[in-house]
Amino acid sequence: MTDPNAIQPSALDQLPDRDPEETAEWQASLDAVAKAAGPHRAAYLMRRTLERAEGAGIALPKLLETDYVNTIPTAAEPAVPGDEAMEARITAWNRWNAAAMVTRGSKYGVGGHIATFASAAWLYETGFNHFFKGKEADGSGDQLYIQGHASPGIYARAFLDGRLTEAHLDNFRQESGGNGLPSYPHPRRLPWLWEFPTVSMGLGPLSAIYQARFNRYLTNRGIKDVSASHVWAFLGDGEMDEPESTAALALAAREQLDNLTFVINCNLQRLDGPVRANFKIVQELEAQFRGAGWNVIKTLWGSAWDELFRLDTNGALVRRLREVPDAQVQTYQTRDAAYIRQDFFGKDPELAELSKLLSDDKILEIFHLSRGGHEPRKVYAAYKAAVEHKGAPTVILAQTVKGHTLGEGFASKNANHQMKKLTVDEFKAMRDLLELPIKDSDFVDGVVPYGHPGADSPEVRYLQERRAALGGPAPARRVHPVAPLPAPAEKAFASFDKGSGSQNVATTMAFVRLIKDLVRDKETGKRWVPIVPDEARTFGMESLFPSLGIYSPKGQTYEPVDRDQLMYYKEAKNGQILNEGITEAGSMADFIAASTAYSTHGEAMIPFYIFYSMFGWQRTADQMWQLGDQLGRGFLVGATAGRTTLTGEGLQHADGHSPVIAATNPAALTYDPAFAYEVATIVKDGLRRMYGEAAPGEDPNVFYYLTVYNEPLPQPAKPSGLGIDEGIVKGLYRFNTAESAELSPAANAPRIQLLGSGTAIHWTLKAQRMLAEEWGVAADVWSATSWTELRRDALEADAALLRGEERVPYVRQALQGAEGPVLAVSDYMRQVPDQIAQWVEQDYSSLGADGFGLSDTREAARRHFGVDAESIVVAALAQLARRGEVKATAVKEAREKYGL
């Protein structure tokens, strides 16, 4: 068995030793130090030597962990500009009002979180007073990703500076009556304040990285210089357990995003207990971030620890801090001085002697109160070092106490995340601690009062002056007055109206061909942001590589292997395509940053993200919800869509349910177009609605989800007649009748209406001909471009009826007078077309691909799911037989004929 403590072989062992005698001298020196001064001294010297080598640029493996002390020594801390006493009073008011707001709301059972902001107050206040640039600053100001559970503190500050009133605070988590405040940062609910939704844990850090990256993209492409903008992401140490939190750390370091700072509030607690009970989360995160190439700043201990470190002349204190697990540090926060003397200091004779120099009060001050994240001087030093660091992103690991200043009932208690209120006595103790001028008589009938020093008080004037100097209020979301983008030339869309003739074209190819034309548009072409997760060749997009270029901040430092080919792999600093590699989550984060550039930067960008439809909504639906919350605009394109069109790939790739998931997102307009001209019509309408002139009552803050297929088929010409475009956009139109298809049905032939979406319409058209030629049944075929939009329109009609307004759902209007029953078919589970069933007046039935997919040919898969043309014929005959319009024996005969 290998000894884990043994020195392992390294790459250096493979190299010849040019000077064995010198090597032996170094090794002997280390042995001598270890023997004379002990292994701890030897380890100390080695760490300092490695740090010196790293600072000198000598190529050695990075030192992934440093001692459990502050990165910036006290002597190196810069003075904090401004009035520290004034900032302390401002922070005290914000602490009070945040706790009061949640406590007052608790009587209604609406909940809220107190302890998170209590721990992080100085992390925010220091930034608001000295670092966070507002919207009027250079570029677009800074982008702030606020930790969701800290929202009460942000509301409290907005109350202090006059942006919110007491009525707003009293309506925290009570939005239905007006003047309400959403529970967390929700731009859709409070669009003038919040920019970025962050409470779905892990998505905040991921989005922040790609936002910082997209800022560089805008600058490098010459769209807008936002190099002065800085992205700040406030995170919890427990949140870092989420895989999305650390998924893109290497990207941030690789692209040297020094416009990005993570501030991780290390209060050592998550929702139920310690983050790393038996370990040390700070050290783990330091190693993870340093290993990924980030600049790491640890801000762990407050000034009360300075004396203790000065007394530690042999490193015993540092060693003890390194070995004490986090859960025990949390326990110290709640225990008396005697316990700390025995358990912390008593484990080491040298520390036991050191503790004799400390009074009980001093021990309690050190272990109960003094954390780096609670002292503005230390936080300011960390922030200043972060914004001045060049060449890499920075993470600040700030140690705090969860529930700080809220009293012994809150601080470091495992349950404090679920604790929603303080008692009156606890508030009075908090008032005394914070030295706030609130009288006992202000507590009327046991209700805690809000506190405000006055609109013209020195505190409010100071706060507002600081924000004015930094570019205005923050956080703030602002939609700049941007003129609607001009519509692209009509010919880009009209070219699809004539169809493809004898050529077979997949709708995926039709979409890519449309995009090729649109990115050439002189007015809007540069605003398209193509996003691909390493599948551009799958979707036939490689021809865009040389013309648009793939974005890389370093350009192309190599000669591509296919340089002599027409469609060679071209990277460029001003490249337009974001080819993200194999990461749907990263691609979605890109899409969110691009889709909200109209508000973040005042620049309307048109992202389209094309992906395997199975790997979009199923994997990243949470980010789609985030996108809707953030009021993003753009086109999501689920390619190789459907459960039966992707032959041979099996159930993991067979998408039969993405429209079901998409239907749950109120901001997603979901379309399943069958033909190329439908794709063009939908994209044209999307550009108008999101980037042009939206019609009255239309919300431009939506995004479009189009499913497109990889099955090459003839693309018909666009039918002539009124209302075709309207039907395509609204979700349903009649593609043909039995008569217009020249099937010559008998005058009294039984008739049925066949509704098909996406690729299923081709099986429906085949079934239409079979029904006429083999069974004497007349069928009309309808293209259902969006089952979901039909349903939403019907739901709105139902709501209108409850208000006393007469309104008929569009689907009912469209099918009004259509003879016979309705049979709906799609390449998705039946739940998709069944969305409209209750609003169809005719007898309604459906076919779909329910169940897991399978590897086989398209024909075999469709037969397996019972959605091929033959299955449609049998289902249609069965529907007509139930009505007595065809003989029941016809159904059995058809099953036998087709081998079903």
Side-chain angles (χ1 to χ4, degrees), residues 349-368:
E350 295 177 1
L351 288 181
E353 287 299 311
L354 185 152
S355 71
K356 294 177 182 178
L357 303 175
L358 304 174
S359 67
D360 284 356
D361 287 344
K362 186 65 176 179
I363 286 178
L364 292 179
E365 177 190 2
I366 291 171
F367 281 84
H368 285 192

Side-chain angles (χ1 to χ4, degrees), residues 142-215:
D142 289 353
Q143 288 80 56
L144 307 180
Y145 288 77
I146 304 295
Q147 192 177 1
H149 294 138
S151 62
I154 309 305
Y155 290 141
R157 195 171 215 275
F159 168 65
L160 203 64
D161 73 9
R163 293 197 290 165
L164 293 176
T165 66
E166 284 194 16
H168 287 109
L169 301 192
D170 264 346
N171 283 295
F172 175 59
R173 293 194 172 193
Q174 299 174 76
E175 299 180 76
S176 60
N179 284 332
L181 298 179
S183 53
Y184 301 126
H186 294 304
R188 188 166 284 274
R189 301 303 309 155
L190 201 61
W192 61 268
L193 180 72
W194 297 119
E195 273 198 290
F196 307 107
T198 52
V199 93
S200 189
M201 291 190 176
L203 299 189
L206 179 69
S207 295
I209 289 174
Y210 280 89
Q211 182 65 57
R213 197 281 193 95
F214 189 75
N215 290 356

Side-chain angles (χ1 to χ4, degrees), residues 395-410:
V395 59
I396 296 168
L397 304 174
Q399 187 159 277
T400 66
V401 174
K402 194 167 186 177
H404 182 61
T405 74
L406 297 180
E408 294 181 1
F410 263 85

Side-chain angles (χ1 to χ4, degrees), residues 129-153:
N129 288 326
H130 301 287
F131 292 95
F132 304 157
K133 296 187 288 291
K135 291 296 182 182
E136 303 305 321
D138 291 342
S140 304
D142 289 353
Q143 288 80 56
L144 307 180
Y145 288 77
I146 304 295
Q147 192 177 1
H149 294 138
S151 62

Side-chain angles (χ1 to χ4, degrees), residues 257-295:
L257 298 180
D258 49 27
N259 61 338
L260 170 67
T261 297
F262 276 16
V263 181
I264 302 182
N265 178 16
C266 296
N267 56 36
L268 313 184
Q269 288 184 250
R270 50 188 175 202
L271 276 60
D272 287 333
V275 179
R276 293 290 183 272
N278 296 297
F279 306 93
K280 303 189 79 63
I281 185 61
V282 169
Q283 299 300 87
E284 179 181 320
L285 291 174
E286 179 185 26
Q288 195 167 13
F289 277 87
R290 284 175 68 92
W294 286 53
N295 175 44

Side-chain angles (χ1 to χ4, degrees), residues 496-499 674-678 681 715-728 732-737 740 761 765 781-783 785:
F496 294 90
D497 291 352
K498 61 187 178 184
F675 306 123
Y677 67 79
E678 292 178 352
T681 301
Q715 295 297 326
K718 187 176 185 178
S720 58
L722 297 174
I724 297 297
D725 284 2
E726 178 189 27
I728 292 172
L732 182 69
Y733 68 97
R734 184 155 49 193
F735 176 73
N736 70 14
T737 64
S740 66
I761 204 166
L765 288 168
V781 174
W782 300 70
S783 179
T785 53

Side-chain angles (χ1 to χ4, degrees), residues 398-669:
Q399 187 159 277
T400 66
V401 174
K402 194 167 186 177
H404 182 61
T405 74
L406 297 180
E408 294 181 1
F410 263 85
S412 281
K413 294 299 175 67
N414 280 339
N416 61 20
H417 191 79
Q418 280 72 35
M419 295 163 69
K420 312 299 182 186
K421 59 184 177 180
L422 297 173
T423 66
V424 169
D425 288 341
E426 287 172 327
F427 265 110
K428 290 178 179 178
M430 180 182 178
R431 170 201 61 190
D432 296 340
L433 176 65
L434 298 176
E435 300 180 346
L436 291 172
I438 295 173
K439 302 185 293 293
D440 285 355
S441 59
D442 293 334
F443 292 81
V444 180
D445 296 328
V447 177
V448 58
Y450 294 120
H452 200 293
D456 197 40
S457 64
E459 291 92 337
V460 173
R461 289 201 306 271
Y462 181 90
L463 182 155
Q464 293 175 341
E465 288 168 2
R466 291 306 309 140
R467 290 311 316 156
L470 287 165
R477 180 181 181 273
R478 183 172 302 174
V479 179
H480 300 262
V482 179
L485 294 182
E490 180 63 27
K491 65 179 182 180
F493 307 102
S495 63
F496 294 90
D497 291 352
K498 61 187 178 184
S500 64
S502 60
Q503 182 182 5
N504 288 341
V505 177
T507 51
T508 299
M509 293 300 99
F511 176 81
V512 172
R513 189 177 301 172
L514 174 63
I515 293 300
K516 287 179 182 177
D517 291 338
L518 293 177
V519 296
R520 295 191 187 104
D521 185 85
K522 291 182 180 179
E523 296 290 333
T524 60
K526 69 178 182 179
R527 297 192 175 274
W528 284 88
V529 183
I531 302 169
V532 194
D534 199 37
E535 290 281 3
R537 298 182 193 277
T538 301
F539 308 134
M541 294 176 60
E542 63 268 30
S543 61
L544 297 178
F545 289 168
S547 58
L548 300 184
I550 299 165
Y551 173 73
S552 169
K554 289 187 174 295
Q556 194 156 37
T557 61
Y558 61 92
E559 184 176 351
V561 67
D562 53 0
R563 181 63 181 85
D564 57 343
Q565 298 179 16
L566 182 62
M567 293 183 286
Y568 68 97
Y569 196 82
K570 176 188 175 183
E571 296 188 78
K573 190 173 183 179
N574 64 346
Q576 194 164 349
I577 300 170
L578 291 173
N579 191 308
E580 287 306 342
I582 306 174
T583 167
E584 287 83 6
S587 299
M588 266 308 301
D590 258 336
F591 186 90
I592 292 170
S595 70
T596 53
Y598 74 93
S599 61
T600 307
H601 296 299
E603 295 288 343
M605 305 299 288
I606 312 171
F608 77 87
Y609 165 34
I610 187 167
F611 50 87
Y612 265 100
S613 65
M614 182 73 167
F615 302 147
W617 286 89
Q618 178 167 291
R619 287 196 179 185
T620 57
D622 196 12
Q623 287 179 285
M624 276 78 163
W625 192 264
Q626 176 191 10
L627 167 65
D629 191 349
Q630 202 166 320
L631 291 81
R633 306 170 183 174
F635 297 94
L636 296 176
V637 184
T640 59
R643 184 142 279 167
T644 69
T645 60
L646 190 58
T647 57
E649 297 286 357
L651 63 87
Q652 189 183 15
H653 289 65
D655 173 25
H657 53 282
S658 67
V660 177
I661 307 173
T664 65
N665 192 310
L669 276 61

